[in-house]
Amino acid sequence: MRAARSARLPGLFVELNAGRKRPMFRQLYDSIRRAVLEGRLHAGAALPPSRGLAAELGVSRNTVTLAYDQLAAEGYLQGQPRSGVRVATTLPTRPFTKAQPPSPARGRRTPRVSTRGSAISSLLEVGWPPPVGSPRPFRPGVPALDLFPMRLWSRLVNRRLRQPPAMGYGDAAGYQPLREAIADYVGAARGTRCSAEQIIVVNGSQQGLDLAARILLDPGDEVWMEDPGYPGARAALLAAGARIVPVPVDGEGMRVEDGERTAGSARLAYVSPSHQFPVGVTMSASRRLELLRWAGQSGAWILEDDYDSEFRYRTRPLASFQGMDQDGRVVYIGTFSKTLAPALRLGYLIVPEEVAPVFRVARAASDRHSPVLEQAVLADFLAEGHFARHVRRMRGVYAERQDALVGAVKSLLGGVMEIGPTGAGMHLTAWLERGADDGAVSAQLAAAGVEAPPISRYALVRPSRGGLLLGWAAYSPEAIRTSVERMARALR
Ligand SMILES: Cc1ncc(COP(=O)(O)O)c(C=O)c1O
């Protein structure tokens, strides 16, 4: 059998190859369709009768009729394969043909971006956003994805598909039953004081940070940022045109006094008080009061990022800023990325009553609202007690995984690293000897297949001591031990 058959007709060159995966009738369909779209076969042009074309191509007549039928069904041809087929006089809306990506423009000037655009591009240097895809030890910030309650979740999804929520536009502030379930949950778990009307459901903390920064700040406003601190927050603040004022962090959290000294009239302070990112300290009660006093007196905002507060291992959590706030100066940010999974992209803000309408309309102006079906499933998950059970279970698993990490580091790397606070969260800081270059150590570990971002990556002012961030939540105790062994070999 000949592999290739061809026919040359006016405006149409057809070559069919029996060796290709694509069926012959599809190859013929492609050739004719291309000729029509490129104008080589113009409107009204006659195509050869199916029998003649089949003979010329050496294929069965059925191959030609199938191609003609398909093209007629899509509106490219009209008439009957046996009685005469023509190119349709009105063609279907022309789809885009797959274009080649433009080749990297040589000599083309980099397009000018705004001042904010160039400020935010500085985050590329710190590797933010962090790597995506399957995590490997010890990438921080990832929960135990292997223990996500997938069977239960899919049961709830299926139930919701049978009894769906209204599928028109939803409330920009979020699906009401979810807002109510969140208000109940954070009130009990974090001591917040709010009604469901103050909850704005967002696509993860990141959108909450972005909304808050745009609504609360004017370009050029000064903002206190924990140093070292969370690059995601820095990104959102820079994108809103804020001037970042680094405020050092010590064993009690942000040094409020330093902030007041350098930028007393700043408009906002960003803090992660339950488990400071990245250092891991918990902000002391006296620092919290200091910060609240400053915000109350100066009329500044406090942006409280409570990203992994559900995970405390030995001590009771301190109540949230939001619950202590008397002056309506706190915007609280919570996320389901750590308690459930980052891919859900669901989180929430608790905003003071007076600004809730502005947040709602700003959310609508940005992307209307989060997907309603997912919100409804999450509302069920919370209201039926599954969330509380899952978090309780994860707390046990994470304590075990943390023990595995701490034990392995102490026994294999005891002389090289000193472990920071371990009372909370999903990652810890392993401090290196004074003077050690944490960037170089991190690069050495990366070459050995271990991810351990250096603390200096998150710092605006060079830290006095280098360290590594080690996440443990996503990895089994065995994987943790193997990876610590690998670290020890690499650093020997
Ligand atoms: C400090 C901090 N805040 C918030 C988040 C969560 O971000 P999102 O809710 O956008 O997934 C993270 C994740 O790593 C984080 O480290």
Side-chain angles (χ1 to χ4, degrees):
M1 193 167 70
R2 277 184 306 149
R5 305 120 203 254
S6 60
R8 195 175 288 278
L9 308 161
L12 177 67
F13 173 73
V14 183
E15 188 177 76
L16 307 183
N17 195 323
R20 285 198 210 129
K21 238 188 181 162
R22 203 158 167 75
M24 299 278 254
F25 90 89
R26 269 279 164 193
Q27 296 180 39
L28 178 58
Y29 158 94
D30 290 341
S31 308
I32 300 175
R33 182 169 166 275
R34 207 173 315 121
V36 172
L37 287 174
E38 288 170 6
R40 283 180 282 116
L41 280 178
H42 54 82
L47 274 103
S50 54
R51 188 193 297 276
L53 184 56
E56 186 153 350
L57 288 166
V59 296
S60 79
R61 189 171 176 196
N62 205 29
T63 300
V64 180
T65 10
L66 274 174
Y68 280 3
D69 284 349
Q70 184 64 36
L71 287 157
E74 292 177 17
Y76 293 99
L77 303 182
Q78 57 197 38
Q80 291 299 318
R82 283 160 209 274
S83 57
V85 173
R86 296 182 173 277
V87 175
T89 39
T90 39
L91 289 181
T93 314
R94 186 177 172 154
F96 290 108
T97 44
K98 195 173 160 202
Q100 290 296 318
S103 54
R106 242 177 288 131
R108 200 160 75 188
R109 269 191 281 147
T110 312
R112 205 181 81 78
V113 296
S114 67
T115 313
R116 285 182 226 178
S118 23
I120 201 173
S121 71
S122 64
L123 283 144
L124 292 169
E125 289 153 29
V126 301
W128 199 87
V132 295
S134 305
R136 63 175 178 171
F138 295 99
R139 183 184 304 170
V142 192
L145 300 177
D146 53 329
L147 300 175
F148 180 83
M150 199 56 92
R151 290 248 300 270
L152 172 59
W153 192 264
S154 61
R155 190 154 56 74
L156 298 183
V157 170
N158 283 328
R159 197 175 68 192
R160 273 296 177 177
L161 289 172
R162 288 193 300 273
Q163 299 150 9
M167 294 301 272
Y169 287 114
D171 186 338
Y175 180 64
Q176 190 61 20
L178 177 59
R179 298 169 78 201
E180 282 161 18
I182 291 173
D184 287 348
Y185 159 70
V186 266
R190 301 295 302 118
T192 54
R193 285 181 303 163
C194 69
S195 69
E197 297 319 301
Q198 291 170 258
I199 304 276
I200 311 285
V201 176
V202 284
N203 292 341
S205 313
Q206 198 55 40
Q207 188 176 41
L209 288 162
D210 179 61
L211 271 183
R214 285 190 291 114
I215 293 171
L216 306 179
L217 297 173
D218 284 314
D221 279 350
E222 286 182 317
V223 169
W224 294 2
M225 170 98 211
E226 295 166 328
D227 191 34
Y230 179 48
R234 207 163 106 212
L237 294 165
L238 286 172
R243 275 192 293 147
I244 308 279
V245 177
V247 181
V249 171
D250 64 16
E252 290 190 64
M254 175 182 264
R255 291 174 54 95
V256 178
E257 212 182 289
D258 290 18
E260 280 192 274
R261 200 170 333 109
T262 23
S265 54
R267 294 290 305 138
L268 181 147
Y270 164 84
V271 280
S272 48
S274 294
H275 185 235
Q276 199 274 335
F277 186 94
V279 175
V281 295
T282 301
M283 194 174 201
S284 68
S286 58
R287 286 279 169 84
R288 287 171 195 244
L289 291 172
E290 260 184 82
L291 189 58
L292 279 169
R293 179 196 42 78
W294 166 76
Q297 282 171 3
S298 65
W301 295 97
I302 298 176
L303 205 48
E304 176 179 22
D305 184 352
D306 216 20
Y307 67 111
D308 66 1
S309 60
E310 282 82 0
F311 302 116
R312 283 202 85 83
Y313 307 104
R314 280 165 280 280
T315 51
R316 278 183 57 74
L318 287 176
S320 62
F321 265 109
Q322 201 279 342
M324 297 164 79
D325 177 28
Q326 304 286 339
D327 305 313
R329 309 306 310 169
V330 175
V331 169
Y332 175 98
I333 309 180
T335 182
F336 292 99
S337 289
K338 311 295 162 185
T339 43
L340 286 170
L344 288 177
R345 304 313 304 139
L346 283 169
Y348 49 94
L349 297 174
I350 306 177
V351 302
E353 253 167 25
E354 307 76 18
V355 289
V358 188
F359 274 84
R360 176 189 254 127
V361 77
R363 178 69 204 273
S366 157
D367 65 339
R368 293 262 195 182
H369 57 79
S370 302
V372 177
L373 194 60
E374 279 79 353
Q375 292 189 70
V377 172
L378 181 57
D380 296 344
F381 195 81
L382 280 157
E384 292 169 23
H386 305 301
F387 182 75
R389 252 192 311 282
H390 179 68
V391 169
R392 215 177 308 125
R393 178 166 172 240
M394 288 305 103
R395 213 176 276 137
V397 169
Y398 293 171
E400 201 183 304
R401 293 182 176 191
Q402 191 200 55
D403 283 349
L405 176 63
V406 172
V409 170
K410 279 189 175 158
S411 75
L412 297 172
L413 287 160
V416 186
M417 294 175 187
E418 186 192 334
I419 286 176
T422 55
M426 297 156 61
H427 74 264
L428 56 78
T429 313
W431 295 106
L432 299 173
E433 285 163 24
R434 283 189 190 278
D437 177 350
D438 59 5
V441 176
S442 170
Q444 203 176 338
L445 293 175
V450 175
E451 272 184 46
I455 288 284
S456 57
R457 182 179 290 175
Y458 305 100
L460 288 164
V461 175
R462 194 178 162 72
S464 57
R465 190 174 179 187
L468 303 171
L469 242 69
L470 304 178
W472 66 72
Y475 319 106
S476 69
E478 299 72 50
I480 288 173
R481 276 187 282 272
T482 317
S483 301
V484 174
E485 283 164 14
R486 190 174 292 171
M487 284 211 292
R489 275 197 302 280
L491 299 181
R492 201 166 282 153

